[in-house]
Amino acid sequence: MRVDELDAKIVRLFTEEQRMSVLEASRILKVARATVQARLDRMTANGVIAHWVPQPEPRAFGFPVVAFCFLTINQDLGHDAVSRALAAIPEVIEVHTVSGDSDLMARVAARSNSDLQRVLDIIMATKAVVRSSSVIALNTHFEGRTLPLLEAAARG
Amino acid sequence: MRVDELDAKIVRLFTEEQRMSVLEASRILKVARATVQARLDRMTANGVIAHWVPQPEPRAFGFPVVAFCFLTINQDLGHDAVSRALAAIPEVIEVHTVSGDSDLMARVAARSNSDLQRVLDIIMATKAVVRSSSVIALNTHFEGRTLPLLEAAARG
DNA sequence: GGCCGCCCTGAGCAGAATGCGCAATGAAGG
DNA sequence: CCTTCATTGCGCATTCTGCTCAGGGCGGCC
C-alpha cells in the first residue's frame, strides 16, 4: 500500500501520545475527523498498522536476557513443524527461516544467563533441533523503530 | 514487577480485541472498572506494557525484505556512537550489542534483495562499520509474541 | 468540455466510554 | 488488633465514538 505524509503524521501522533483521540488528532492536523478515521481504517485494513495492542516488555517482568539462537533443524520435520514446536515454548518470542548456515533463527527471552541454558535445553528437547548456536544481546540500543521507515516511505 | 493472572488476562483481552474498552473488559473479567484501570496504569508505569501504539509493518508498505546484519565496528568510536549513526538510517529497525564474533547486530528492512545491498552500502558508508555479515529472513513464522511469556510469568 | 469516481469536509446525533472522586469492603501483614 | 493497600460500586460531567449525509474540490477519462 502507498502511504502519504498525512498517514505518517497520523501514526506519529498516535505513537508519541498514546492518549491521543481521533478527534484531537484531527484538530492538531487540521483535517476532518472522518479523514483521520478513514486513514486509520485504511492502514489497518491494509496491514500497514499491523497491531495496536499493549506490547508486554519481557525485560520489565523478569526476563532481562535476550538471545538470538541459530538453529539447525531435523530436516525430516520441515520448517513449519519445527516452528510450531518452538511456538509452544513461551520464551521463544520470534522465529524466522533464514539464509546461511543455519535453518532457523529464534529470539529467546530468559530470566538470566543460566536460565537461558534451561530454555535452550527445552528447545533441544523437542528433538526438532539438531544444533544451536546462540548470540546474546548485551545491550539493546533500540528496537521496533519502524516509524522513521514509514515516514521515509511517505516522502517517496 | 510481578504480574498476576488478572494482569495477563487484561493484556490478552486488549490484544485479541483491540476495540476493547476498559469498561467492557471489566464486564468480561467480572471485576470493577477501576481495577482494570489501575492494573493498566500500574503495568504502564512499570514498563510491563512498553508501548501501546500503532505498529507500522514494513512488509505492508513496500519493505518485504528483512535481514539481520552482524557488524564489526570501528572500535575508536564506541558502540553508542555507532548505534547513533545507525539510528539515522530509517531502514535500520533494531540494534543490539551482542556477544560473539561481531560487535553489533542490526535488523534491517529493505524493498528487495538488491535494495538491501543499497542499505548495506549506506551502513558501510558511515565509516563506523568495518565489516558486515548478513543473514536474510526467508520466512517469518512469528514475531513479537510476548503474550505467552507474560502468561507464563503470571502463573508463577 | 463534460462526466465520473474518489477523497476530504463539516455537521449532527445518540450512545458509550472516560476521568475523577468518594466511601465502604476485604484481605494481608506486622 | 491495627495498618495498609487493592478492590469495589456508585455517580457525575465531559468527551469521544460510530454512523450518516450532502456538498465541494480534484484528477482522470471519453
Side-chain angles (χ1 to χ4, degrees), chain A residues 8-27:
Chain A
K9 280 179 186 164
I10 290 171
V11 174
R12 170 167 285 277
L13 262 184
F14 282 91
T15 299
E16 288 181 344
E17 187 53 67
Q18 57 223 62
R19 298 239 167 253
M20 183 66 54
S21 69
V22 172
L23 184 57
E24 193 178 349
S26 74
R27 283 194 287 251

Side-chain angles (χ1 to χ4, degrees), chain A residues 87 92 94 97 107 138 145, chain B residues 87 92 94 97 107 138 145:
Chain A
V92 178
E94 183 173 340
T97 293
R107 175 197 292 246
L138 304 172
R145 202 186 61 111
Chain B
V92 177
E94 184 175 338
T97 293
R107 175 197 292 247
L138 305 171
R145 201 186 61 111

Side-chain angles (χ1 to χ4, degrees), chain B residues 94-111:
Chain B
E94 184 175 338
V95 170
H96 308 268
T97 293
V98 292
S99 68
D101 297 333
S102 306
D103 299 312
L104 295 176
M105 192 196 85
R107 175 197 292 247
V108 171
R111 296 190 179 277

